[in-house]
């Protein structure tokens, strides 16, 4: 049955879903990387598609920006559509100077200023972490395709324009690799629902060096990240 935010039929989604923030990126992934992709939902223009990659059924669905928006779609995908494996593909701002522009960051865990995981966990601090098998598959896929990959913690922020004056210093002190806006929500829901999740990110800008990617560079690194995520799903599927 359709949900308040997804109009797809019951069996429209594959068990594996890629999650970009931007719905037009979902369309781009479907058209560029999936075979036989069809659009399955468009409520609020939050587009979703199902097709196949290397013979494996896979869906792709936009989430919007931030934990609240992404949590709506992720929760409905899992509870109403039976999705079992979810891989966020998105951009992040580099924090660690070891992390270069356009390189891939795989989030082993996500700290956050969002309250969602404390709400889930009785006010305690939940360790929001990736699924190990998906993570290992993504690291292997990135190495096979020759991409530089960094595995570590990210910070999921509710604020793109962060009001905390020393946020950058705190993240650096704690050796956080990068900042973005959805992963802690994804990992919290996955834990609660007993499904598997991973965030594969590309560094679009660097908060310490102030470097930024051009739009053509962003496209190329986005493609690299999507292929790592899709290959990780295939490798994980075969295990
Ligand atoms: N902050 C939060 N999310 C981001 C950033 C950032 O600087 N860059 C890319 N995604």
């Amino acid at each position: 049955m359709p949900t308040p935010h997804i109009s797809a039929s019951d069996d429209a989604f594959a068990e594996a879903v890629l999650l970009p923030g931007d719905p037009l990126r979902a369309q781009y992934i479907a058209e560029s990387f999936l075979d036989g992709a069809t659009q399955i939902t468009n409520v609020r223009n939050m587009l979703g598609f199902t097709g196949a990659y290397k013979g494996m059924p896979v869906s792709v669905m936009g989430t919007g920006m931030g934990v609240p928006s992404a949590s709506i779609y992720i929760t409905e995908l899992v509870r109403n559509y039976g999705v079992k494996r979810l891989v966020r593909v998105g951009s992040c701002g580099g924090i660690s100077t070891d992390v270069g522009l356009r390189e891939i960051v795989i989030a082993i865990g996500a700290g956050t200023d969002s309250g969602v995981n404390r709400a889930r966990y009785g006010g305690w601090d939940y360790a929001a972490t990736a699924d190990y098998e998906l993570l290992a598959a993504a690291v292997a896929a990135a190495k096979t395709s020759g991409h530089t990959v960094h595995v570590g913690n990210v910070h999921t922020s509710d604020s793109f324009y962060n009001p905390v004056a020393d946020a950058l210093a705190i993240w650096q002190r704690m050796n956080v690799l990068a900042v973005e806006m959805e992963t802690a929500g994804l990992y919290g829901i996955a834990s609660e629902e007993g499904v598997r999740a991973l965030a594969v990110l590309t560094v679009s800008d660097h908060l310490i060096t102030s470097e930024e990617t051009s739009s053509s560079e962003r496209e190329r690194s986005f493609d690299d990240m999507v292929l790592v995520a899709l290959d990780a799903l295939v490798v994980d599927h075969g295990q």
Side-chain angles (χ1 to χ4, degrees):
M1 256 212 326
T3 68
H5 307 94
I6 303 175
S7 58
S9 61
D10 285 354
D11 59 355
F13 280 93
E15 54 79 34
V17 178
L18 286 193
L19 301 169
D22 179 349
L24 292 181
R25 288 252 160 116
Q27 181 167 31
Y28 169 78
I29 292 169
E31 288 171 355
S32 310
F33 298 102
L34 302 187
D35 298 321
T38 54
Q39 188 180 305
I40 53 174
T41 182
N42 63 359
V43 179
R44 290 176 181 242
N45 293 317
M46 196 57 79
L47 307 176
F49 303 81
T50 295
Y53 177 74
K54 296 186 177 171
M56 181 190 73
V58 58
S59 299
V60 52
M61 167 97 203
T63 63
M65 288 180 279
V67 169
S69 177
S71 295
I72 290 172
Y73 297 104
I74 293 163
T75 300
E76 293 179 7
L77 286 172
V78 173
R79 289 191 186 161
N80 301 85
Y81 289 98
V83 170
K84 302 288 185 211
R85 298 188 296 158
L86 304 100
V87 181
R88 160 162 159 69
V89 282
S91 63
C92 62
I95 306 287
S96 165
T97 47
D98 292 342
V99 167
L101 228 49
R102 298 184 302 280
E103 290 178 351
I104 291 172
V105 171
I106 299 182
I108 195 165
T112 187
D113 49 73
S114 159
V116 291
N117 289 338
R118 284 191 174 176
R120 289 196 166 91
Y121 202 56
W124 295 332
D125 292 324
Y126 189 73
T129 50
D131 175 76
Y132 175 74
E133 301 292 343
L134 280 176
L135 183 138
V139 172
K143 291 206 168 142
T144 302
S145 52
H147 296 112
T148 304
V149 60
H150 304 270
V151 181
N153 281 343
V154 301
H155 181 89
T156 298
S157 184
D158 274 350
S159 308
F160 186 87
Y161 301 104
N162 204 299
V164 177
D166 55 353
L168 261 183
I170 294 169
W171 294 331
Q172 280 189 296
R173 184 163 52 76
M174 294 305 287
N175 289 299
V176 167
L177 298 183
V179 57
E180 54 81 74
M181 299 186 71
E182 294 83 14
T183 298
L186 169 64
Y187 288 178
I189 295 168
S191 295
E192 188 171 32
E193 299 290 333
V195 296
R196 304 201 287 132
L198 181 68
V200 181
L201 308 164
T202 177
V203 181
S204 61
D205 52 285
H206 204 288
L207 276 65
I208 304 298
T209 64
S210 300
E211 294 169 288
E212 284 179 19
T213 43
S214 67
S215 59
S216 66
E217 286 174 328
R218 268 199 297 281
E219 267 167 42
R220 211 168 343 114
S221 50
F222 184 81
D223 286 3
D224 294 343
M225 168 185 62
V226 168
L227 286 170
V228 166
L230 285 168
D231 283 325
L233 283 167
V234 169
V235 168
D236 175 79
H237 190 58
Q239 279 172 358

